[in-house]
Amino acid sequence: MTFELEVKMAVYRHFAETGVRPSCEQVAERVGTTAGEVVEAYQRLRAQRVLVLEADGISIRMALPFSGVATQHLVKAGSRSYFANCAWDALGIPATLQQPATVYSRCEQSMEPLRLEVGLEGPAGSDWVFHCVVPAAQWWDDIVFT
Amino acid sequence: MLFFRSEERVQQWCRAQDYVQRPIVRMDQLWMLAKTWYSTRLQPDSRRPQPAEMREIFARCGLKDSFWDSEADSFAAPGS
């Protein structure tokens, strides 16, 4: 396993196990390296579109489908809560964890709350819909907006 | 990438925000996408789908519009 892959896996395991983003120091401890080396790996993982970083270059904004910051898409699985980056990622979290979950979000137009039970075979019958304004070819032009 | 109560709500929102309305995705389609994209994410050999794989995944979910083509260049920027 390459060093970058070790860092990536440490980040993802931390998110999955805690619901929140890890600090560089926490990742370094998991991998057995220094925070400085983790930050260097973050830059390479950002270039590969594995991580999205905050402007400080050391805080994780996104490790898709997990969000490092609070959003309108909350996912509860087992005893843990997670924030998703978007509606797609809200379903992506139970898919990633391979656990049943409850998604809490809203209709962006009416602000009506959404509570969606997601089992191992997907969401219970729902007539809600998903919409994305950004074409796939432009998603990474501004992934936070997307 | 947002949830809406109905297609009508999408139309209202796009009008209010001056966005072009894009294809509507049902929840079962969204689950297929989420599962395909993310079900191996915690495994070391997980990787992002490449453009050709993306096209195939979207098509399998019934999403064949070029909107979903990561190599298409025929779309104006949102809001334009």
Side-chain angles (χ1 to χ4, degrees):
Chain A
M1 189 183 293
T2 66
F3 178 67
E4 280 158 40
L5 184 54
E6 285 186 65
V7 170
K8 172 188 166 185
M9 294 311 300
V11 167
Y12 270 93
R13 286 181 184 133
H14 185 96
F15 264 112
E17 292 167 10
T18 69
V20 297
R21 64 185 175 189
S23 66
C24 295
E25 290 76 15
Q26 287 171 315
V27 174
E29 188 175 340
R30 278 179 182 252
V31 175
T33 186
T34 65
E37 286 188 327
V38 168
V39 171
E40 288 177 15
Y42 277 6
Q43 301 305 321
R44 295 191 291 275
L45 291 168
R46 173 165 64 180
Q48 297 164 22
R49 298 180 175 176
V50 172
L51 299 180
V52 177
L53 304 177
E54 303 277 23
D56 64 9
I58 59 172
S59 303
I60 297 171
R61 173 66 182 261
M62 301 179 182
L64 281 71
F66 301 112
S67 172
V69 298
T71 70
Q72 69 199 57
H73 311 286
L74 176 67
V75 180
K76 292 189 176 181
S79 59
R80 295 195 181 88
S81 296
Y82 305 84
F83 285 109
N85 300 295
C86 63
W88 181 336
D89 287 355
L91 296 194
I93 287 177
T96 297
L97 299 173
Q98 302 195 22
Q99 282 183 41
T102 306
V103 171
Y104 299 88
S105 187
R106 69 186 187 209
C107 170
E108 195 63 15
Q109 171 62 17
S110 66
M111 297 294 148
E112 181 180 340
L114 168 66
R115 177 190 164 123
L116 183 67
E117 301 294 337
V118 183
L120 295 176
E121 300 304 317
S126 171
D127 56 0
W128 284 60
V129 298
F130 165 91
H131 182 259
C132 174
V133 295
V134 183
Q138 298 170 6
W139 284 350
W140 282 89
D141 292 355
D142 183 349
I143 191 64
V144 173
F145 175 78
T146 298
Chain B
M1 296 184 174
L2 299 163
F3 289 117
F4 291 87
R5 183 66 189 84
S6 64
E7 184 167 358
E8 183 184 7
R9 296 296 190 211
V10 175
Q11 292 166 353
Q12 293 169 348
W13 184 78
C14 288
R15 274 199 302 271
Q17 302 295 324
D18 198 24
Y19 287 138
V20 175
Q21 186 179 328
R22 304 302 193 182
I24 298 293
V25 178
R26 302 187 313 268
M27 297 299 266
D28 62 308
Q29 292 173 307
L30 185 61
W31 171 247
M32 285 178 67
L33 289 175
K35 196 173 173 185
T36 305
W37 236 258
Y38 289 123
S39 61
T40 62
R41 192 52 57 110
L42 296 181
Q43 298 171 15
D45 58 353
S46 173
R47 61 179 180 79
R48 295 175 58 248
Q50 298 302 298
E53 295 172 293
M54 288 175 65
R55 275 193 293 277
E56 195 272 331
I57 291 166
F58 285 123
R60 207 182 325 137
C61 296
L63 303 171
K64 297 178 181 175
D65 190 283
S66 59
F67 176 82
W68 305 106
D69 186 345
S70 65
E71 294 182 314
D73 58 4
S74 58
F75 282 92
S80 63

